């Protein structure tokens, strides 16, 4: 079984592959395809954006597609960067995004640095048949990055019960508790019927 995952994000793709390999599902990403169309990600919600990605790619290749949109919502910043997480500091540059987040939170004390990662995963067939699952995980934003694994905001996201940042977890450990892992577990309860139908 091969699945088109409509993402260019190497970190997401790695976690999808890690999660889906025991199910015998091989993940093809946009980095493996030619002539990938531009995706106009202008939705107001994670769900809208995941659907926009899935629709664009399903229409272009006439194949079933899975897409996801995710981001970090920081309570002290009224939910920012949220759907703007990828381009928080302008370009999609993880280091610049992390630095901007640290600057914005410079005067916020430890107990007020709570944040939640969100994701929505959409499966869409060219016929329009759609499944959708969401996931979230709450932690807090460190004052300085910790760890070298993962991607994006992981070095700054501290997960209390493991006493580690997300960048200090392996992909398997992260999937066991993360927003993406939580969404993927829900998604897989819908997947088989959708895929085989
Ligand atoms: P695709 O649209 O190609 O999938 P993208 O990186 O542009 O890739 P999004 O628009 O969904 O994806 O942006 C997600 C942002 O949230 C991006 O800045 C990520 O670094 C961040 N993010 C999402 N999940 C994360 C995670 O598990 N750990 C750290 N950062 C994460
Ligand atoms: Na996005």
């Amino acid at each position: 079984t091969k699945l088109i995952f409509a993402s260019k994000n190497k970190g997401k793709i790695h976690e999808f592959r890690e999660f889906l390999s025991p199910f015998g599902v091989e993940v093809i990403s946009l980095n493996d395809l030619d002539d990938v169309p531009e995706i106009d990600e202008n939705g107001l919600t994670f769900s809208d954006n995941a659907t926009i990605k899935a629709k664009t790619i399903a229409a272009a290749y006439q194949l079933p597609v899975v897409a996801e949109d995710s981001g970090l919502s920081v309570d002290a910043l009224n939910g920012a960067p949220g759907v703007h997480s990828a381009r928080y500091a302008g370009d999609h540059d993880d280091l610049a995004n992390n630095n901007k987040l640290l600057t914005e939170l410079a005067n916020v004390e430890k107990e007020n640095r709570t944040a939640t990662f969100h994701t929505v995963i959409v499966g869409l067939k060219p016929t329009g048949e759609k499944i959708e699952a969401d996931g979230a995980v709450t932690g807090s934003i460190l004052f300085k990055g910790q760890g070298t694994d993962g991607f994006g905001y992981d070095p700054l996201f501290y997960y209390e019960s493991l006493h580690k940042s997300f960048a200090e977890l392996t992909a398997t450990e992260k999937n066991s508790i993360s927003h993406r892992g939580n969404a993927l577990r829900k998604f897989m309860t819908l997947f088989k019927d959708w895929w085989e139908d």
Side-chain angles (χ1 to χ4, degrees), residues 15-168:
E15 291 175 14
F16 260 69
R17 290 204 164 116
E18 175 70 31
F19 187 95
L20 290 168
S21 66
F23 295 89
V25 178
E26 187 187 335
V27 175
I28 308 287
S29 81
L30 298 186
N31 300 330
D32 308 316
L33 295 170
D34 294 318
D35 305 318
V36 176
E38 189 92 21
I39 300 173
D40 187 16
E41 225 183 282
N42 58 8
L44 296 178
T45 64
F46 298 113
S47 174
D48 289 347
N49 282 336
T51 303
I52 289 166
K53 294 179 200 185
K55 270 190 184 157
T56 307
I57 300 304
Y61 297 96
Q62 289 299 311
L63 288 168
V65 166
V66 174
E68 83 101 80
D69 196 66
S70 49
L72 181 67
S73 295
V74 180
D75 296 319
L77 303 176
N78 298 313
V83 291
H84 306 295
S85 293
R87 290 165 199 286
Y88 190 35
D91 299 329
H92 189 168
D93 174 342
D94 287 343
L95 193 61
N97 286 340
N98 284 350
N99 285 334
K100 174 159 178 170
L101 182 57
L102 287 178
T103 303
E104 295 289 328
L105 292 177
N107 299 318
V108 179
E109 59 275 44
K110 196 170 182 229
E111 59 272 26
N112 293 325
R113 295 171 74 97
T114 47
T116 301
F117 270 125
H118 293 277
T119 185
V120 172
I121 303 174
V122 164
L124 185 71
K125 289 186 171 174
T127 54
E129 215 182 318
K130 184 177 161 180
I131 55 173
E132 181 167 339
D134 61 4
V137 64
T138 295
S140 65
I141 304 304
L142 292 163
F143 287 86
K144 185 170 166 287
Q146 249 173 244
T148 54
D149 283 340
F151 66 99
Y153 297 96
D154 282 345
L156 293 180
F157 189 86
Y158 188 75
Y159 188 68
E160 191 65 51
S161 63
L162 292 179
H163 308 292
K164 282 179 179 172
S165 81
F166 266 16
E168 295 175 304

